[in-house]
Amino acid sequence: MVVSLKANRKRIIAFLLLAVIVVGACFFLQSKGEEEAQPIPGGTNEERLAYLQSFGWQVQTEPSETREVMIPAQFNDVYTAYNVMQKAQGFDLEPYAGQICTQYLYKIENYPDESEVYATLLVYGEEIIGGDVACAEVDGFMHGFAPDSARFGETGIGSSESSKPVASANPAVTAAPESAASAAPETGTESVATEEEAAASEESSGETETAGEPLPEEAYPVD
């Protein structure tokens, strides 16, 4: 009888310890998930500056450009690749498809060996929902906010020459229809043209004539 009681006591203690471990693990995972889901404030200029500075970037105190942009309702290959980069740094633009957000562009003053690098922040409401760091050169780079974060096209999606972003032009957004923002500055931060605009441009270029003959397509400069 004594041996049986000791054995049962050990089983009870082991069961209680296991229950405590399981409950503790559940609370830990729940709290971790809640921390990851916390929105990143970006409604004020001070909040946006603080966020960029948390990655070590020294930026100009005022954005060089602010405008309303629309996240496309449907993703093309370039947009999908851009969102892959966003997901790698903890964001996801899919829930905001078709929504209008505000795009803030800040010039980075301490990027190593580069002088024309800009940080783009996408803000929906009062929350930062995505963005990137990009060089303004035509063949420039684009990556997440952290210096060692994923770069655009690293996963193979959108890595072809035809789908690479030009300079710091953001492939994830298009200008909002009702936006009164002026044309993008020389930094190359213009929104991606829609398919209809591209088709209209090709059609108009094909109709240009010299001495009665249409100019070949290769006669036009390619950015």
Side-chain angles (χ1 to χ4, degrees):
M1 179 69 68
V2 174
V3 174
S4 177
L5 288 174
K6 288 184 178 179
N8 288 336
R9 185 181 300 171
K10 289 180 179 180
R11 291 195 185 101
I12 293 173
I13 293 174
F15 176 79
L16 291 175
L17 288 174
L18 179 62
V20 170
I21 293 173
V22 171
V23 172
C26 290
F27 277 112
F28 174 77
L29 292 175
Q30 181 178 0
S31 62
K32 185 178 179 181
E34 290 176 353
E35 289 178 1
E36 293 177 351
Q38 288 296 320
I40 302 173
T44 67
N45 190 54
E46 289 74 17
E47 289 172 337
R48 294 188 293 272
L49 291 176
Y51 182 70
L52 293 175
Q53 290 167 358
S54 69
F55 295 98
W57 302 126
Q58 297 175 12
V59 299
Q60 294 182 349
T61 56
E62 295 295 332
S64 58
E65 180 184 338
T66 300
R67 61 177 172 176
E68 289 185 336
V69 293
M70 178 180 289
I71 299 176
Q74 296 182 347
F75 299 177
N76 57 18
D77 290 342
V78 177
Y79 182 84
T80 300
Y82 185 79
N83 201 39
V84 168
M85 185 183 73
Q86 296 304 313
K87 290 180 178 179
Q89 60 177 348
F91 295 111
D92 186 4
L93 296 176
E94 290 180 2
Y96 305 96
Q99 300 298 317
I100 294 176
C101 62
T102 306
Q103 182 187 50
Y104 297 91
L105 194 74
Y106 291 87
K107 185 175 183 181
I108 297 177
E109 299 180 326
N110 66 330
Y111 200 97
D113 303 321
E114 297 286 349
S115 59
E116 291 294 321
V117 179
Y118 294 82
T120 297
L121 288 170
L122 300 177
V123 177
Y124 183 78
E126 303 293 320
E127 178 184 349
I128 296 173
I129 62 172
D132 59 78
V133 171
C135 178
E137 300 296 330
V138 174
D139 296 325
F141 55 82
M142 178 183 287
H143 58 71
F145 292 117
D148 58 349
S149 59
R151 289 177 173 256
F152 179 87
E154 274 188 344
T155 60
I157 303 176
S159 59
S160 63
E161 291 298 324
S162 61
S163 59
K164 285 183 179 178
V166 177
S168 59
N170 194 322
V173 294
T174 54
E178 299 178 358
S179 173
S182 58
E186 295 179 358
T187 57
T189 55
E190 29 188 6
S191 58
V192 178
T194 61
E195 295 180 1
E196 293 85 293
E197 291 172 340
S201 177
E202 293 178 0
E203 181 179 352
S204 61
S205 63
E207 293 175 356
T208 304
E209 294 185 357
T210 301
E213 293 294 330
L215 288 172
E217 293 182 358
E218 58 267 24
Y220 292 90
V222 179
D223 293 335

